Amino acid sequence: MSVRQKKQELLEAMHRARAAEPSSFVPNPLLDTLITRMQLKNDAELCRVLEVQPPIISKIRHRKLNVGATILLRMHEKSNIPIRELKELTAEAREQPAGRTTH
């Protein structure tokens, strides 16, 4: 087996493992809160305000990319929402019973 095949096999195994474990990161409440509080129209406008490329927000919304420290700080700087609150927005969605929303 070539190095390339081994690498591909390892990547596929990582993707299968990641898909099998439940995600603890729920990005939609975070992104939706930012859009609401900053009085934006959609994800595209959020991208412009945060000065990030649209695929970044799309990947975050679809749970393919977690919010890193850099973007979290930028969210805080642009929205004036405390970092602790931004982080809690992802936890609240996990802890609430189905059908209940925050705020």
Side-chain angles (χ1 to χ4, degrees):
M1 182 179 292
S2 72
V3 173
R4 186 175 186 184
Q5 288 172 322
K6 286 181 182 181
K7 183 178 178 181
Q8 184 63 33
E9 196 173 284
L10 178 61
L11 285 172
E12 288 172 4
M14 286 172 47
H15 288 297
R16 283 192 304 273
R18 196 173 290 148
E21 63 187 36
S23 175
S24 61
F25 175 66
V26 184
N28 290 340
L30 170 64
L31 298 175
D32 294 342
T33 298
L34 284 167
I35 288 170
T36 301
R37 291 204 193 163
M38 296 170 74
Q39 299 177 341
L40 305 174
K41 294 179 184 178
N42 52 34
D43 285 354
E45 200 168 353
L46 180 62
C47 292
R48 286 190 288 277
V49 169
L50 296 178
E51 301 172 8
V52 297
Q53 296 295 315
I56 299 296
I57 297 299
S58 177
K59 286 178 184 179
I60 290 171
R61 190 168 289 279
H62 293 96
R63 299 183 187 184
K64 294 182 180 175
L65 181 68
N66 286 331
V67 176
T70 303
I71 195 157
L72 185 66
L73 283 171
R74 190 166 297 170
M75 288 173 174
H76 162 68
E77 290 170 351
K78 300 292 183 176
S79 69
N80 291 320
I81 298 173
I83 292 176
R84 176 173 283 166
E85 185 177 346
L86 292 171
K87 290 171 72 175
E88 287 172 354
L89 284 167
T90 63
E92 288 177 5
R94 291 191 307 268
E95 295 167 1
Q96 299 244 349
R100 294 191 61 196
T101 57
T102 317
H103 307 286

